[in-house]
Amino acid sequence: MDKTCSIHTTFLNRQLHGRLCSATKHISLITTDKRRTGSGQTVLCSLVTPKTMNTRTLIERQVPREVSMPAKFGMFGGNFVPETLITSLKKLEAEFIYALQDTEFQEELATALRDYVGRETPLYFAQGLTNYYKNKDGEGAEIYLKREDLNHCGAHKMNNAVAQTMIAKRMGLKSVVAATGAGQHGVATAAACAKLSLSCTVFMGSDDMEKQSSNVLLMKLFGAQVKPVERSFKEASSEAIREWASNLETSYYLTGTAVGPHPCPSMVCEFQSVIGKETRRQAMEKWGGKPDVLIACIGSGSNAMGLFYEFIEDEDVKLIGVEAAGFGLDSGKHAATLSKGEVGVYHGAMSYMLEDEEGQIIRPHSIAVGLEYPGVSPQLSFLKDTERAEFYSATDKEAVDAYLRLSRLEGIIPSLEAAHALAYLDKVCPPLPNATKVIVNCSGRGDKDAGMVLDHRHEIN
């Protein structure tokens, strides 16, 4: 089995829990809720072996303490959901923990990531971009791109989608429900469901469907039912959760964002962590060391946590997240949750969120549809409060300029989401010492955004 694609059998309470405690000295802030499994505690776990995937069997398993996971990161995360959902979330957590220990699951996932998703993705030296940021003496940072845009279906979203559809299959569930913004998670989920013969329903905001019509078509080609919801991703997410809650015995809610009630953020983080694991090994192969700076765009946090997760313990590696400033942070039209948000509860978890003076959710704005979410990962919220990661923002115009720059200097078209991370190179590169190793997560490809970029470019010119 490819070591890159393997899943650690010990999860967040040994990796993320231990890393955050070590890196930030806030040991007392890491807490778990009363549903944490302990040594000798019996939990119900639905298990379907690969040979009998269509037969649902509930068995009692002993879950060792070392593979239990925190439901909260400091004060962030948790399960702020109706009691009717708690049992289903407990079953999901138990199935997830068991899957992490199951050699057959790990081997099956490793094969899917390699042969279906197309991993590993390259760590590409961007010579043109590197030259662009050199100073007058010919010195500057060396810029690399983690090419998640080369995954099957064109984004990092497939890493998580294929893993979670496998879990849905193991649980004997026949249908998958999801919500999508830019459509990349919807496309990945629809494709993975087609592969595993699961029915798929994707909720998508009507505004987003108009902007990302090509992805709507792809979802339908994969056999998914695409249901429009008035407005945007936050409304689509709410509707998907309602749909799942009304069909708990037969459906699986597949989140692509690192948000929502426990264990959803932890699952997404784990399945996306392959990005950082590969990056560490590739950096060692290319220059014999670690990267100096990691940069990723921030919507809800799935691609950022995928890159950052592996390096949280490495305090000499700077972690930078870039949010969507939209028309500007003072314009009221942005999606900069960590920069401008307040702590609150949204979609079942506590995190930073965009709200008005009365505590009502503010509709976010970004030219990148995938960044338009009013909340953010509880893990990223914790990294902000403990100052382990730094968070900045890029405007619509800066993202469009970065999109065009990479296209013309490297012949690589990034998604508008990833272009926000690329835009921050303008600020981070000038003061860096010569040969500093900077890695930007190119989380998705941008052919879906070409028309929007050209229209936007025409408007501002």
Side-chain angles (χ1 to χ4, degrees):
M1 179 176 58
D2 186 350
K3 190 174 182 180
T4 306
C5 300
S6 67
I7 298 178
H8 289 302
T9 56
T10 53
F11 190 55
L12 286 177
N13 71 311
R14 192 176 84 175
Q15 291 194 354
L16 185 56
H17 179 293
R19 289 176 180 186
L20 291 176
C21 289
S22 172
T24 64
K25 313 301 182 188
H26 285 261
I27 297 177
S28 62
L29 292 181
I30 302 284
T31 59
T32 60
D33 65 12
K34 295 181 181 179
R35 290 180 292 279
R36 177 178 176 176
T37 55
S39 178
Q41 180 179 353
T42 301
V43 297
L44 276 180
C45 176
S46 62
L47 168 66
V48 183
T49 65
K51 293 182 180 179
T52 58
M53 281 188 172
N54 293 324
T55 305
R56 187 177 184 186
T57 306
L58 287 179
I59 65 171
E60 289 187 342
R61 298 197 60 83
Q62 298 294 322
V63 180
R65 179 179 298 277
E66 64 266 25
V67 294
S68 62
M69 67 188 75
K72 300 183 75 175
F73 308 90
M75 65 175 151
F76 303 107
N79 271 344
F80 296 87
V81 296
E83 193 65 30
T84 53
L85 298 182
I86 294 297
T87 298
S88 293
L89 290 169
K90 282 184 177 181
K91 289 179 180 178
L92 177 60
E93 179 184 3
E95 187 67 48
F96 176 46
I97 292 172
Y98 183 59
L100 293 178
Q101 304 172 81
D102 182 12
T103 301
E104 288 192 55
F105 176 84
Q106 294 184 36
E107 291 177 346
E108 184 182 351
L109 179 57
T111 299
L113 290 174
R114 184 189 66 234
D115 298 341
Y116 186 70
V117 180
R119 304 208 71 89
E120 66 181 34
T121 58
L123 183 61
Y124 168 77
F125 177 54
Q127 182 70 69
L129 207 57
T130 295
N131 291 340
Y132 178 84
Y133 286 106
K134 285 183 177 179
N135 60 28
K136 62 182 181 180
D137 297 321
E139 296 182 341
E142 295 178 4
I143 301 168
Y144 292 79
L145 306 179
K146 183 56 174 164
R147 296 293 307 279
E148 292 300 295
D149 57 306
L150 297 180
N151 279 340
H152 178 44
C153 295
H156 73 290
K157 293 294 187 181
M158 184 58 81
N159 303 325
N160 170 69
V162 72
Q164 287 211 49
T165 50
M166 287 170 55
I167 288 180
K169 191 85 170 182
R170 287 165 63 95
M171 295 177 74
L173 301 173
K174 305 295 185 182
S175 63
V176 169
V177 178
T180 193
Q184 293 301 117
H185 173 60
V187 171
T189 300
C193 285
K195 180 180 185 297
L196 295 180
S197 301
L198 298 171
S199 68
C200 180
T201 302
V202 180
F203 290 87
M204 190 171 185
S206 54
D207 293 350
D208 299 339
M209 291 180 71
E210 183 177 350
K211 295 174 184 176
Q212 304 290 337
S213 58
S214 61
N215 279 339
V216 175
L217 175 60
L218 290 175
M219 285 183 269
K220 291 180 178 179
L221 285 173
F222 287 131
Q225 182 180 9
V226 183
K227 291 189 175 183
V229 178
E230 187 176 354
R231 303 191 80 171
S232 61
F233 177 57
K234 75 181 185 72
E235 288 81 14
S237 295
S238 298
E239 196 59 37
I241 293 171
R242 291 189 194 99
E243 175 73 14
W244 169 61
S246 65
N247 296 281
L248 293 174
E249 295 302 314
T250 59
S251 65
Y252 182 97
Y253 175 57
L254 203 163
T255 178
T257 58
V259 296
H262 175 72
C264 296
S266 296
M267 293 178 71
V268 174
C269 178
E270 170 66 15
F271 292 134
Q272 291 295 356
S273 68
V274 64
I275 301 172
K277 295 185 181 85
E278 286 181 3
T279 298
R280 180 185 289 277
R281 192 183 69 255
Q282 290 168 326
M284 184 60 66
E285 291 171 351
K286 285 182 178 292
W287 62 80
K290 294 179 290 189
D292 298 302
V293 182
L294 299 176
I295 306 176
C297 66
I298 302 287
S300 67
S302 61
N303 95 91
M305 282 307 300
L307 182 63
F308 295 169
Y309 180 90
E310 177 68 16
F311 296 93
I312 290 173
E313 189 178 47
D314 300 288
E315 295 187 59
D316 54 340
V317 178
K318 182 176 288 190
L319 310 179
I320 296 177
V322 185
E323 298 185 292
F327 294 126
L329 293 181
D330 296 326
S331 68
K333 294 184 177 180
H334 60 78
T337 307
L338 290 166
S339 300
K340 302 291 285 187
E342 302 290 339
V343 176
V345 174
Y346 189 60
H347 283 161
M350 182 173 288
S351 70
Y352 279 92
M353 53 190 285
L354 296 176
E355 60 182 12
D356 61 21
E357 294 178 355
E358 298 179 353
Q360 299 300 306
I361 299 298
I362 296 174
R363 186 181 184 188
H365 163 78
S366 173
I367 191 172
V369 174
L371 302 186
E372 287 187 320
Y373 186 73
V376 72
S377 156
Q379 293 100 321
L380 287 176
S381 296
F382 183 77
L383 293 180
K384 169 186 166 65
D385 272 18
T386 55
E387 299 182 352
R388 174 60 189 94
E390 302 173 13
F391 298 97
Y392 303 98
S393 61
T395 65
D396 288 353
K397 181 182 183 304
E398 289 169 334
V400 168
D401 289 344
Y403 177 104
L404 294 170
R405 184 179 303 122
L406 189 68
S407 300
R408 293 169 182 176
L409 292 178
E410 297 291 347
I412 296 171
I413 304 175
S415 65
L416 274 171
E417 290 78 19
H420 283 71
L422 291 160
Y424 195 69
L425 291 171
D426 280 357
K427 298 180 176 68
V428 75
C429 283
L432 291 176
N434 188 47
T436 299
K437 304 299 190 294
V438 177
I439 297 176
V440 181
N441 195 9
C442 190
S443 56
R445 71 180 185 226
D447 43 324
K448 66 182 179 63
D449 300 317
M452 192 185 314
V453 167
L454 294 175
D455 289 344
H456 185 85
R457 192 70 176 169
H458 175 73
E459 289 174 7
I460 63 179
N461 285 338

